[in-house]
Every structure is written in structure tokens, then in C-alpha cells.
Amino acid sequence: GESVGLHLPTLSVQEGDNSIINCAYSNSASDYFIWYKQESGKGPQFIIDIRSNMDKRQGQRVTVLLNKTVKHLSLQIAATQPGDSAVYFCAEEVRDDKIIFGKGTRLHILP
Amino acid sequence: ETGVTQSPTHLIKTRGQQVTLRCSSQSGHNTVSWYQQALGQGPQFIFQYYREEENGRGNFPPRFSGLQFPNYSSELNVNALELDDSALYLCASSFDWEVDTQYFGPGTRLTVL
């Protein structure tokens, strides 16, 4: 079926350390995946995406890894900052007009 | 801040009532998608409008309906409100439904009593 899930609901990371947020997906036909950041009181914000013909994509301080064999996505945030505190969602596009979101992981930054 | 605005910010209704939520899209965008986000959950796709026509729908009943206007702003209407309709309603605008051009608004918090 169509579902995107996350392994951990809350992740606490020391400021300056790297954060890794994991996500499993179930639809093997999906070919486009997105990570979103949602801060309190705001809508989700696009962070980075990856297509199924890639296994790694890098942005500014963020890297997304895709393992199609085990249907697993991860988001790595380098040198985590207080402003990175938010809920992070992985999502998959099942067709041009439909995006399935996971339940989210809350990232908490420790001083 | 994105150029996507939503109104109202908060709304309280009672069961059985009807509600209309509004969304103004980012300048230059022609596609609006609506999502329902229950507390502690990820957003769920309701439907999408492209150039004033419905362009896909999620698993929501017909009492959830929408419109898109010539200026590409949009409305979400919900009839016969139920308690489970309490949620944050998000709209997102994009150009030609390209996800990497998509911007979300801040949402409308609907509480059904």
C-alpha cells in the first residue's frame, strides 16, 4: 500500500553535531522523494529532494540518501544549529498530483 | 516567509456546520494543493487544482470540495463538519504541480466542537 513511515518520533542532538533522520517507504514504484521541515506555526518547507535514479544528493548542510533495496531514506544535517529545531517529514510523490507524507520526526537541539 | 497566505488563521465550528477556507497562491503559480494535518501527524493530501480544474484527489469524502479562481486563489469547503475534521488545513501553491516549486501557507487551524 501507500505509506511512508519514520523510525523515531523524537531525536535529540547536541548543537554542532550531525543529525540523521531516517524514513522507510513502502511503495516500490515511487520515483521521487522529498524532505520537508515544519517549524511551529508554519507550513512545511521543502528542504531537498531525490529521484530514484540517484542514491545521494547534497544541498547546503543537508544530504539525502536513498537505498532502494531496503526502501529507506535518510536526511543528514551537518553541524546542527538551534534553527534546525523542527519536525521533519519525508514524503513520496506517487504521481504528479499526490504526495504522501510520513508522520514526522521532531528534532530537538541540545545546547 | 512564502507568498502563500491563508485565511482565517483559526476557526471554531460546531458539528454539522459548513466551513470555507481560503488560500492565495504565490505569484506566478497556477496549481494549488490542499492538505489536512491532524495533530502529531503528517499532512494528508485532499485534492489539487490546476488552472481552475480539479487535478487529483486523495481519500476524502465528497463533503470536502474546492474551487480555484482565475487568479489561481482557491477555496476549500467542508460540509456537515465532524469532530474528526478538527485539524490544520494547509494549502500549497506551485507552478505546473512541480513539487520543487511548491510553497506552503501557514495553515488554518479548524476546531470542530
Side-chain angles (χ1 to χ4, degrees), chain A residues 36 38 43-44 89 96-97 101-102, chain B residues 37 42-43 45 55-56 97 102 104-105:
Chain A
Y36 291 91
Q38 187 173 23
F89 294 97
D96 284 345
D97 53 6
F101 281 78
Chain B
Q37 186 175 23
F45 177 77
N55 185 45
W97 67 75
Q102 188 179 68
F104 280 83

Side-chain angles (χ1 to χ4, degrees), chain B residues 9-110:
Chain B
T9 306
H10 296 88
L11 198 54
I12 300 175
K13 291 285 189 178
T14 56
R15 198 169 43 182
Q17 285 189 308
Q18 177 267 342
V19 69
T20 297
L21 310 182
R22 295 177 175 83
C23 172
S24 291
S25 57
Q26 174 96 358
S27 177
H29 285 180
N30 54 19
T31 304
V32 172
S33 302
W34 284 93
Y35 294 84
Q36 180 195 66
Q37 186 175 23
L39 201 61
Q41 303 290 319
Q44 280 196 297
F45 177 77
I46 304 174
F47 44 54
Q48 182 185 81
Y49 280 83
Y50 171 67
R51 294 184 180 273
E52 303 179 60
E53 298 287 333
E54 188 177 291
N55 185 45
R57 189 178 183 94
N59 296 326
F60 281 81
R63 59 189 184 85
F64 286 77
S65 63
L67 281 174
Q68 188 179 32
F69 300 100
N71 67 354
Y72 302 128
S73 66
S74 179
E75 285 183 355
L76 164 67
N77 298 291
V78 187
N79 293 324
L81 283 167
E82 300 176 0
L83 297 179
D84 285 348
D85 295 333
S86 295
L88 180 68
Y89 288 84
L90 295 160
C91 79
S93 75
S94 60
F95 180 72
D96 284 356
W97 67 75
E98 293 292 333
V99 173
D100 59 357
T101 70
Q102 188 179 68
Y103 290 103
F104 280 83
T108 293
R109 173 69 63 188
L110 173 65

Side-chain angles (χ1 to χ4, degrees), chain A residues 34-71:
Chain A
I34 314 108
W35 280 99
Y36 291 91
K37 173 186 181 183
Q38 187 173 23
E39 296 174 279
S40 181
K42 297 184 178 180
Q45 175 189 357
F46 175 99
I47 302 173
I48 192 167
D49 57 1
I50 189 166
R51 295 210 171 268
S52 59
N53 61 352
M54 305 172 72
D55 53 21
K56 180 179 180 179
R57 189 159 190 232
Q58 288 185 292
Q60 186 178 11
R61 279 201 311 119
V62 294
T63 300
V64 54
L65 299 177
L66 174 62
N67 185 329
K68 295 178 286 293
T69 303
V70 295
K71 291 188 281 190

